[in-house]
Amino acid sequence: MTNPPENSSPQNYANYYKVAEEYPENTGWSWNIFNGLEWSIIVLMIIALLSVVFWGFFVQEAKNRDIQRFNHFSQTLIPALDGFYTNSAATESARKYPIAKCSPDLNEVDFELALRQNLTGQLPEIENHTFIQAKNYPQDISGKYSKNFGDRKVSYRCTERLSLDTVQQQKAIYPDRDSCNFKPSQNYKQCYLYTTNSIGDTYQLAYYSEETTCFVTFKKFRSQNLQSYKQC
């Protein structure tokens, strides 16, 4: 439909626009009008697409952090434990891993205190070799850490492992690093954990996997093959 002549009467203009409203395709105009349902579908599609993108991003980030945790264990901690075990005695029957002092259950204190002191050469009366430099001793990148007792989100276990002066004066828990808050029931799961049996011939190491929402545990008896399993 062409535009009405410039000298058209008012009635002609009225008829023209009436036809344009009923048959917009005949006027040469482009009408991009969406109804409410069409707009809703478009918005939902955009939201769904963005959700997939962001979900994929967060999942990949969790995978990357799990890879870092696994590398800390496989490339740093486990080789250091093997070296400590080999150095601990001349005969197999007398060898042992750094003995846990806090609990026979996997816990953060034995990882950040007993194990760290032994592997970083801080206890020369037991082992004067440094298997891991103190500054390189790993920790979970996503853990929640506290420097002082008053800053902790959960109570510190095994305070008897520390000097009374440190406890009473509320100084830093450790002089050279922060302490990880660990309590799975309160969603403080992201700490590295360690323990042994009473004679130190068996150790366990564990970290919390964000991807699987399980604890990945490594266990070794003497020089036998390393075992790994998940605890969900």
Side-chain angles (χ1 to χ4, degrees), residues 6-29:
E6 294 184 359
N7 60 352
S8 295
S9 67
Q11 183 63 39
N12 288 339
Y13 276 106
N15 291 337
Y16 173 79
Y17 286 112
K18 182 177 180 181
V19 172
E21 290 177 358
E22 294 178 357
Y23 306 100
E25 68 278 5
N26 294 329
T27 66
W29 299 352

Side-chain angles (χ1 to χ4, degrees), residues 169-229:
Q169 295 175 18
Q170 297 290 286
K171 295 180 180 178
I173 299 173
Y174 309 126
D176 56 344
R177 70 187 288 120
D178 296 340
S179 175
C180 192
N181 293 272
F182 179 70
K183 196 167 188 179
S185 61
Q186 295 184 12
N187 203 30
Y188 293 101
K189 302 176 182 179
Q190 292 167 334
C191 294
Y192 289 165
L193 312 173
Y194 178 76
T195 194
T196 65
N197 60 1
S198 60
I199 60 175
D201 65 0
T202 302
Y203 77 78
Q204 293 183 75
L205 275 171
Y207 67 83
Y208 181 74
S209 166
E210 293 182 63
E211 182 181 7
T212 63
T213 65
C214 298
F215 285 94
V216 179
T217 301
F218 298 86
K219 183 177 182 180
K220 191 169 186 179
F221 171 71
R222 295 194 180 277
S223 57
Q224 293 184 5
N225 290 336
L226 183 71
Q227 302 174 27
S228 63
Y229 54 92

Side-chain angles (χ1 to χ4, degrees), residues 13 15 18 37 45 73 78 82 89 133 136 143 157 206 227:
Y13 276 106
N15 291 337
K18 182 177 180 181
L37 178 60
M45 290 176 64
F73 279 47
I78 292 172
D82 289 340
Q133 293 294 325
N136 296 329
R157 70 175 93 197
Q227 302 174 27

Side-chain angles (χ1 to χ4, degrees), residues 15 68 70 76 82 85-87 98 118 120 148 154 206 208:
N15 291 337
Q68 183 186 53
F70 179 80
T76 303
D82 289 340
Y85 179 80
T86 301
N87 277 19
N118 279 280
T120 58
N148 305 308
V154 297
Y208 181 74

Side-chain angles (χ1 to χ4, degrees), residues 47-65 210-211:
I47 292 174
L49 180 61
L50 291 175
S51 298
V52 170
V53 171
F54 282 113
W55 175 254
F57 172 79
F58 287 119
V59 168
Q60 186 58 50
E61 286 295 296
K63 288 182 178 180
N64 291 341
R65 289 190 292 270
E210 293 182 63
E211 182 181 7

Side-chain angles (χ1 to χ4, degrees), residues 94-177:
R95 290 173 181 167
K96 58 187 176 182
Y97 296 103
I99 297 178
K101 303 296 184 181
C102 178
S103 172
D105 299 320
L106 282 161
N107 68 93
E108 76 288 4
V109 173
D110 277 318
F111 177 83
E112 62 195 15
L113 186 59
L115 181 62
R116 179 171 62 92
Q117 289 181 333
N118 279 280
L119 295 185
T120 58
Q122 297 181 41
L123 300 175
E125 68 276 13
I126 297 176
E127 172 57 69
N128 57 14
H129 184 79
T130 299
F131 298 94
I132 304 174
Q133 293 294 325
K135 64 179 181 179
N136 296 329
Y137 191 77
Q139 62 182 19
D140 193 319
I141 191 174
S142 300
K144 297 178 176 65
Y145 296 89
S146 301
K147 188 174 187 63
N148 305 308
F149 288 95
D151 299 333
R152 289 187 63 82
K153 309 302 181 183
V154 297
S155 59
Y156 182 89
R157 70 175 93 197
C158 300
T159 53
E160 67 277 7
R161 294 283 293 122
L162 306 172
S163 70
L164 291 177
D165 286 342
T166 301
V167 176
Q168 292 170 348
Q169 295 175 18
Q170 297 290 286
K171 295 180 180 178
I173 299 173
Y174 309 126
D176 56 344
R177 70 187 288 120

